[in-house]
């Protein structure tokens, strides 16, 4: 994982600290036994936890305390301050708890506490068997959550990809750039699966779902029975319907195998051409520049990420990539891919021996549709992520869910959203009735700049900018019909957390104040 552990700072809690120094409903950073520790106080109750996020090592002391939880400033993981439990993705592992001693008005922290017992949310009416189709963000998070919540029945994870759950955001970022080793990429180890008695069917395709028999049919003829089924098949990378799109030097990026193939190809190429100036295309461009390749980006749009980030941030992203040597060809259309180049409309040919298509994805709905599950630009689910077929749920990039903040349905295709949907789906697979209400969040990395987005800026009609993107210090508020719909930040991680908390609670006054500055 990227990131570094928090430095030792603040008081030595082993020597003691006055309780009054710990902010009420806040946190105090210190250390004990050579490790960074956070103290949190609610009235007279004091909790102590490790100060480093278990996702990418983010500094929790720079995060936000909300209702007995602490949220990581980097990627918005959320931990229970009393138990250390990782309540919300992207973190799936707890932080350590420490034992708190009280001597009058002095608080001492000298040793780690035993791990908290997992919450037992299951009942005697639990399903005997659960099958999860797809081991991406949603499927992986659901698998982990089911066992964490005490589900003890048969649990099978199926995916056509042979590698199983991986840290997909890294595939277009540090791993592709060569600064993250492959051992960081798998989410779980063989020992993890074995300890939790999870059956893996990786490298085999599911060919049919039989809702009447409650079975999933695999390509090798195996029939897997289920009481509950989660479809988390994600989305497939789109390919342009043009001549040459299937040539061997043309790549897409969705899986670990795709990223490995790009790394091999980059090692043999001097230049690369990327079709599409969206997040994946531009992250690949940054990774290739880090490897020393010449990079051209072709896009039919007038500027990168205008719909996703607006004019201000879109223009900044363009300038940032141009400063790093990327050449853009905007308002251009690719007509054909040649063995050693790409032909644009009008006949211009750009040389290229490595081509990457970053032209979007399509939700993988065919399996569900054939089984009678309702689909429309994704699998249609209710607020509990259940489909029209009882006992079948869907989560992640494949699911279109009712969006309570914007109205209508959403399918945002974000890693953290998919993970959080998987966690919610897991609880509902066990009979819960938990509506999915998480606010969309994603981050995108370009060289040394990370852009964080809370909410959904699609279709917004007004944009307010605080600060300067060029100075790596800005907040951009996106409005839709007079209401703040999304907030993007660079260098203002705490503000991003505040925006997320305000959206969750429906506190438009706090959100407006944050955006207005």
């Amino acid at each position: 994982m990227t990131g570094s552990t928090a430095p030792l700072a603040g008081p030595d809690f082993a020597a003691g600290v006055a309780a009054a120094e710990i902010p009420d409903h806040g946190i105090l950073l210190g250390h004990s036994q050579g490790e960074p520790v956070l103290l949190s106080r609610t009235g007279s109750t004091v909790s102590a936890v490790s100060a480093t996020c278990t996702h990418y090592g983010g500094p929790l002391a720079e995060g936000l305390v909300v209702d007995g939880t602490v949220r990581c400033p980097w990627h918005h993981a959320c931990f229970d301050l009393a138990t250390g439990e990782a309540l919300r993705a992207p973190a799936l592992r707890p932080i350590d708890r420490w034992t708190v001693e009280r001597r009058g008005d002095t608080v001492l922290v000298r040793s780690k506490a035993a791990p908290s017992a997992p919450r037992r949310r299951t009942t005697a009416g639990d399903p005997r068997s659960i099958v999860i189709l797809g081991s991406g963000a949603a499927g992986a998070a659901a698998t982990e959550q089911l066992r964490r919540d005490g589900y003890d029945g048969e649990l099978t994870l199926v995916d056509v990809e042979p590698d199983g759950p991986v840290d997909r955001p890294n595939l277009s970022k540090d791993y592709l750039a060569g600064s993250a080793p492959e051992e960081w990429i798998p989410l779980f180890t063989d020992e993890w699966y074995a300890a939790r008695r999870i059956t893996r069917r990786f490298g085999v395709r599911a060919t049919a779902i039989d809702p009447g028999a409650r079975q999933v049919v695999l390509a090798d003829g195996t029939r897997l029975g289920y009481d509950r089924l989660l479809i988390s098949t994600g989305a497939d990378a789109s390919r342009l319907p043009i001549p040459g799109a299937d040539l061997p030097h043309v790549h897409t990026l969705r899986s670990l195998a795709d990223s490995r193939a790009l790394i091999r190809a980059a090692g043999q190429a001097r230049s690369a051409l990327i079709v599409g100036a969206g997040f994946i295309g531009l992250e690949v461009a940054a990774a290739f520049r880090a490897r020393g390749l010449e990079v051209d980006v072709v896009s039919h749009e007038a500027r990168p990420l205008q719909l996703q980030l607006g004019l201000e941030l879109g223009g900044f992203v363009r300038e940032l990539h141009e400063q790093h040597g990327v050449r853009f060809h905007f308002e251009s259309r690719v007509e054909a891919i040649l063995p050693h180049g790409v032909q644009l409309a009008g006949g211009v040919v750009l040389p290229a021996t490595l081509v990457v298509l970053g032209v979007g994805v399509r939700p993988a709905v065919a399996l569900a549709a054939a089984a009678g599950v309702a689909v429309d630009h994704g699998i249609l689910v209710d607020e509990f992520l259940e489909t029209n077929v009882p006992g079948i749920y869907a989560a992640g990039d494949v699911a279109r869910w009712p969006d309570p903040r914007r109205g209508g349905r959403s399918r945002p295709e974000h890693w953290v959203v998919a993970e959080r949907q998987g966690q919610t789906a897991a609880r509902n697979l066990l009979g819960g009735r938990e509506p999915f209400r998480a606010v969309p969040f994603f981050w995108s990395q370009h060289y040394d700049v990370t852009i964080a987005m809370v909410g959904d800026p699609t279709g917004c009609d007004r944009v307010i900018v605080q600060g300067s993107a060029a100075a790596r210090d800005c907040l951009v508020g996106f409005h839709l019909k007079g209401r703040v719909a999304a907030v993007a930040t660079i260098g203002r991680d705490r503000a991003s957390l505040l925006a997320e908390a305000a959206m969750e609670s429906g506190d438009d006054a706090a959100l407006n104040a944050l955006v207005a500055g």
Side-chain angles (χ1 to χ4, degrees):
M1 304 301 170
T2 57
S4 59
T5 57
L8 294 180
D12 181 357
F13 293 151
V17 63
E21 293 185 31
I22 309 169
D24 196 14
H25 299 285
I27 48 179
L28 176 67
L29 174 64
H31 56 91
S32 181
Q33 312 303 324
E35 295 187 38
V37 175
L38 292 182
L39 285 181
S40 176
R41 181 170 66 87
T42 303
S44 60
T45 301
V46 177
S47 301
V49 295
S50 293
T52 304
C53 179
T54 56
H55 176 232
Y56 275 13
L60 295 179
E62 299 174 18
L64 183 70
V65 171
V66 179
D67 297 331
T69 71
V70 61
R71 303 185 179 195
C72 179
W74 285 3
H75 305 123
H76 294 209
C78 178
F79 300 91
D80 189 314
L81 282 165
T83 66
E85 183 181 3
L87 296 177
R88 296 197 305 183
L92 301 178
R93 292 182 294 113
I95 50 178
D96 290 329
R97 293 189 308 133
W98 292 71
T99 299
V100 175
E101 300 178 34
R102 296 292 296 264
R103 295 183 182 176
D105 293 332
T106 300
V107 174
L108 300 98
V109 178
R110 293 177 173 171
S111 61
K112 289 184 180 179
S116 297
R119 298 185 186 183
R120 309 297 288 191
R121 297 185 177 93
T122 59
T123 68
D126 285 345
R128 292 169 299 175
S129 62
I130 294 175
V131 173
I132 298 176
L133 296 181
S135 67
T143 302
E144 190 277 337
Q145 191 72 50
L146 284 166
R147 286 306 194 220
R148 192 200 312 182
D149 286 353
Y151 175 63
D152 198 38
E154 295 180 9
L155 181 55
T156 304
L157 184 58
V158 179
D159 202 304
V160 67
E161 298 294 339
D163 299 296
V166 297
D167 181 20
R168 183 172 288 164
N170 227 331
L171 300 183
S172 61
K173 298 179 176 71
D174 291 340
Y175 176 66
L176 185 60
S179 56
E182 187 160 319
E183 55 262 31
W184 287 3
I185 302 303
L187 291 182
F188 309 126
T189 64
D190 290 344
E191 293 75 18
W192 185 92
Y193 291 109
R196 290 158 180 79
R197 297 182 298 103
I198 296 167
T199 301
R200 292 173 286 172
R201 295 301 307 268
F202 296 158
V204 60
R205 184 180 300 277
T207 58
I209 299 169
D210 184 343
R214 296 212 168 204
Q215 292 180 335
V216 172
V217 183
L218 305 185
D220 61 7
T222 302
R223 285 181 169 263
L224 301 174
Y226 67 84
D227 292 319
R228 304 273 165 75
L229 174 67
L230 175 63
I231 303 175
S232 52
T233 44
D236 300 320
S238 298
R239 282 188 174 267
L240 295 174
I242 59 174
D246 57 351
L247 288 171
H249 67 292
V250 180
H251 298 257
T252 58
L253 177 54
R254 287 294 289 173
S255 67
L256 177 56
D258 293 338
S259 195
R260 286 172 178 153
L262 283 175
I263 291 170
R264 289 193 298 269
Q268 301 171 357
R270 293 184 178 179
S271 63
L273 187 142
I274 296 164
V275 183
F279 288 112
I280 290 296
L282 293 181
E283 289 181 356
V284 171
F288 281 172
R289 288 299 294 139
R291 289 182 176 272
L293 274 66
E294 296 293 316
V295 176
D296 288 89
V297 176
V298 176
S299 174
H300 68 276
E301 297 177 337
R303 55 183 55 82
L305 300 171
Q306 179 176 337
L307 294 178
Q308 298 92 336
L309 297 179
L311 293 175
E312 174 84 10
L313 287 184
F316 164 70
V317 169
R318 173 180 181 170
E319 293 173 3
L320 179 64
H321 280 272
E322 288 178 335
Q323 290 167 7
H324 284 81
V326 174
R327 297 182 292 263
F328 285 102
H329 308 267
F330 289 115
E331 297 182 290
S332 298
R333 182 169 54 85
V334 176
E335 287 192 336
I337 301 175
L338 311 174
H340 299 288
V342 168
Q343 180 179 318
L344 305 183
V348 174
V349 175
L350 300 175
T353 55
L354 170 57
V355 177
V356 181
L357 301 180
V359 293
V361 297
R362 295 169 287 102
V365 300
L367 196 65
V373 175
V375 301
D376 180 12
H377 299 90
I379 296 175
L380 301 181
V381 296
D382 62 16
E383 61 181 330
F384 308 110
L385 305 179
E386 189 170 15
T387 72
N388 63 305
V389 179
I392 298 182
Y393 294 72
D397 288 359
V398 76
R400 280 189 71 205
W401 51 281
D403 187 334
R405 185 167 181 84
R406 292 178 63 98
R409 289 182 175 271
S410 292
R411 196 181 61 81
E413 298 174 1
H414 301 324
W415 173 260
V416 174
V417 173
E419 285 189 304
R420 291 178 180 175
Q421 282 190 349
Q423 292 174 320
T424 297
R427 291 188 275 271
N428 291 338
L429 286 165
L430 300 181
R433 298 294 288 172
E434 178 181 313
F436 181 72
R437 293 285 187 263
V439 174
F441 166 77
F442 73 89
W443 78 95
S444 185
Q445 179 181 321
H446 305 263
Y447 310 102
D448 60 343
V449 175
T450 298
I451 301 170
M453 177 72 77
V454 174
D456 182 355
T458 305
C460 288
D461 49 38
R462 183 180 175 220
V463 177
I464 297 178
V465 180
Q466 292 180 25
S468 166
R472 274 65 163 174
D473 177 24
C474 73
L475 180 150
V476 182
F478 298 85
H479 294 250
L480 178 63
K481 298 179 181 179
R483 191 182 193 194
V484 178
V487 173
T489 57
I490 298 175
R492 300 192 183 186
D493 293 337
R494 184 174 173 82
S496 182
L497 287 171
L498 287 168
E500 181 182 55
M503 288 183 188
E504 286 175 356
S505 63
D507 190 347
D508 283 355
L511 198 55
N512 289 332
L514 182 71
V515 171

